Amino acid sequence: MTEDLRQGLRGAAADFYQRGWMLGTAGNLSARSRADRFWITASGRPKDRLTLEDFVEMDLTGQVHRAPDGRRPSAEASIHQAIYRQVPDAQVIYHVHSVEANLCGHFAVDGLLRLPSLEMLKGLGVAAAEPQVDLPVFPNFVEVPQIAAAMERSFAQALPPVPGALIHLHGVTAWGRDGTAARHHLELLEYCFRYLVQAKLLAIGA
Ligand SMILES: [Zn+2]
């Protein structure tokens, strides 16, 4: 079972690497192994060629439980801990650094990015003819636990309207009840980001 989780994350990492979302070892992926533990990509490993030894199992307090060959967890594991603590339905979390996600952070107003009013948002759980959805955009910090703390404070107040969030000039995070759902959510958010960038280039409203 835990091997299946890691195999799923390996496949997702190779896919996202090919899309240019995880270049230069950037980004991190995780999957819950039980209610209070998860597997996460180890720090500094190339995402197009992960092995089963390139994952670390840790709990929601940050304690590492399994670390093959002394691997260290992703430096951004605290973001995953915060989301798993606050979002019980999150079973898989994908955090990537894509070009469009970073461009779209510039379009945010007061920490919120208005997503385009597209039918596609149905796949993110918003069913409306012309949906009005604001994605939270958190400030970036060199000390990643500061980012995680800001996300956790916000999510404790209210979860985002869609299963994802942006970190300004850093990347996007999406989650789901399994790997397939998390991938769909990430793809749909990336679609929205590409749309917003194209709309800006064409000088049309979203
Ligand atoms: Zn990151």
Side-chain angles (χ1 to χ4, degrees):
M1 181 60 184
T2 64
E3 182 174 327
D4 290 348
L5 292 179
R6 285 175 289 164
Q7 290 287 17
L9 294 173
R10 276 183 73 204
D15 177 12
F16 300 160
Y17 180 90
Q18 292 302 327
R19 301 189 201 207
W21 298 350
M22 302 193 84
L23 302 182
T25 79
N28 30 86
L29 313 180
S30 73
R32 263 196 227 261
S33 48
R34 50 189 234 198
D36 62 347
R37 287 192 189 183
F38 60 95
W39 285 100
I40 187 165
T41 43
S43 180
R45 310 301 296 172
K47 298 305 188 298
D48 58 332
R49 58 193 72 176
L50 296 178
T51 72
L52 290 179
E53 279 65 53
D54 289 326
F55 295 88
V56 172
E57 191 182 30
M58 58 193 303
D59 65 29
L60 303 193
T61 70
Q63 177 89 27
V64 171
H65 292 272
R66 280 194 273 186
D69 294 335
R71 294 269 197 276
R72 290 179 298 108
S74 162
E76 300 182 339
S78 55
I79 292 173
H80 297 247
Q81 291 166 230
I83 294 170
Y84 285 131
R85 280 198 292 254
Q86 295 299 325
V87 189
D89 287 346
Q91 295 294 324
V92 172
I93 298 173
Y94 294 151
H95 168 87
V96 301
H97 300 179
S98 65
V99 171
E100 283 83 1
N102 284 330
L103 288 172
C104 283
H106 293 289
F107 307 153
V109 177
D110 294 333
L112 296 172
L113 175 69
R114 173 58 56 93
L115 296 179
S117 299
L118 300 173
E119 170 72 17
M120 297 281 280
L121 295 192
K122 194 163 63 179
L124 291 166
V126 181
E130 295 188 19
Q132 306 284 304
V133 176
D134 292 322
L135 187 72
V137 183
F138 294 93
N140 192 43
F141 295 101
V142 175
E143 295 295 327
V144 178
Q146 282 186 259
I147 306 172
M151 292 177 87
E152 186 148 17
R153 279 195 301 274
S154 173
F155 289 9
Q157 297 284 320
L159 293 179
V162 296
L166 264 182
I167 303 168
H168 188 44
L169 298 175
H170 179 152
V172 60
T173 307
W175 51 87
R177 64 182 182 281
D178 56 31
T180 301
R183 182 165 61 84
H184 288 163
H185 296 157
L186 182 60
E187 286 177 339
L188 291 171
L189 286 173
E190 286 290 339
Y191 179 95
C192 289
F193 300 154
R194 287 201 304 279
Y195 182 100
L196 288 172
V197 170
Q198 291 292 321
K200 183 70 83 176
L201 288 171
L202 296 169
I204 60 172

